[in-house]
Amino acid sequence: MIKLISINAALLSLLFLVTSCGSESKSVDVCRCLIEPGNSDWNNENKEVCRDAISKEIGVANWEKVNMSDNPAISAKFDALAKRCADKKETTESKSDAIENKETKSNNDNSILIPNIGTSSGYIWESIDTKAQVYSTLAFDNAVFRNTVYLMNGKTNSEDFTRMLELSGHWNTVDTNNANGVISLNNVEVSWVFSEDYATLTNNKGAVYNRVKVK
């Protein structure tokens, strides 16, 4: 009797394993099912699972076999689903366009300051704190800035300095004498105020940098 129970238990376990594997369903984005072109590779690969997902969404066994003309309630559910997916697509595209336009505008706006402050190929900005023995450089390019900090080691020749820290990120023009940036490493915001003649700038911590022509 014990042997028979063991065999039955094994059979039940095997049956459960088989039925579990067979009932595993593949998840799919129902909106993509409606929006994706019908002849795409993705649509061909997910044809059946899309059919089931759409059917489940509007509460029928197989939406492809429903005569929408004779079933106004089901037709209304399908139309509502299609509209929801279309609105979702439009919202996503609008956000993408807004981000792209913002980035383009930022890059274009930087052209206001670039002719006056220069780029790293022509100018750098430097700050010397002899009391703290810290030497810092700042360089701007079209969309990127780099801030490097050195320990002076009691020396005056930059070749004898020790590099302590280098930070970089993206920056945007605020107006003809102000700019903002974000450090890529930690997303900390920074800002700079340029003098009227663009000979100096002051960062948001009060450090003053002088513009120096690169030889």
Side-chain angles (χ1 to χ4, degrees):
M1 180 64 69
I2 295 175
K3 184 176 181 180
L4 181 60
I5 293 174
S6 299
I7 293 173
N8 287 339
L11 288 173
L12 286 172
S13 297
L14 180 60
L15 179 61
F16 175 78
L17 179 62
V18 172
T19 55
S20 296
C21 293
S23 62
E24 184 178 357
S25 59
K26 179 181 177 182
S27 61
V28 69
D29 182 350
V30 68
C31 284
R32 185 174 181 182
C33 292
L34 290 172
I35 296 171
E36 186 81 12
N39 59 350
S40 70
D41 292 338
W42 184 89
N43 208 316
N44 290 331
E45 292 174 1
N46 294 275
K47 190 173 183 179
E48 293 184 0
V49 71
C50 277
R51 177 200 63 204
D52 295 342
I54 295 172
S55 300
K56 181 179 179 181
E57 192 74 24
I58 63 176
V60 297
N62 184 349
W63 76 274
E64 294 175 346
K65 295 182 178 181
V66 176
N67 187 333
M68 296 296 181
S69 300
D70 296 335
N71 294 273
I74 301 300
S75 179
K77 288 183 179 180
F78 182 86
D79 290 343
L81 174 62
K83 183 178 184 304
R84 190 180 79 213
C85 291
D87 291 344
K88 178 182 176 182
K89 181 175 183 290
E90 183 178 353
T91 300
T92 301
E93 290 177 347
S94 296
K95 287 181 179 179
S96 298
D97 290 343
I99 292 172
E100 184 178 352
N101 291 335
K102 183 178 180 181
E103 290 176 349
T104 301
K105 183 176 183 296
S106 296
N107 289 336
N108 290 338
D109 285 346
N110 289 342
S111 64
I112 299 172
L113 274 175
I114 285 295
N116 296 311
I117 68 175
T119 62
S120 60
S121 61
Y123 295 91
I124 65 167
W125 301 75
E126 65 175 14
S127 173
I128 304 174
D129 187 337
T130 53
K131 184 177 181 179
Q133 285 291 290
V134 172
Y135 172 76
S136 305
T137 64
L138 183 61
F140 294 93
D141 284 304
N142 289 332
V144 177
F145 73 89
R146 291 179 299 281
N147 194 180
T148 309
V149 181
Y150 299 84
L151 185 64
M152 295 175 66
N153 301 317
K155 308 291 184 178
T156 57
N157 192 333
S158 61
E159 294 179 356
D160 298 321
F161 297 169
T162 302
R163 187 168 69 178
M164 298 173 57
L165 180 67
E166 182 170 289
L167 299 172
S168 63
H170 291 80
W171 69 283
N172 298 306
T173 297
V174 176
D175 55 38
T176 54
N177 292 96
N178 292 270
N180 292 332
V182 177
I183 299 172
S184 299
L185 178 66
N186 50 17
N187 290 325
V188 170
E189 295 182 355
V190 291
S191 62
W192 309 276
V193 179
F194 298 92
S195 62
E196 291 297 327
D197 60 357
Y198 301 102
T200 65
L201 70 78
T202 305
N203 68 13
N204 55 301
K205 292 187 177 181
V208 178
Y209 287 70
N210 296 304
R211 191 178 68 164
V212 178
K213 187 174 179 60
V214 176
K215 297 180 181 179

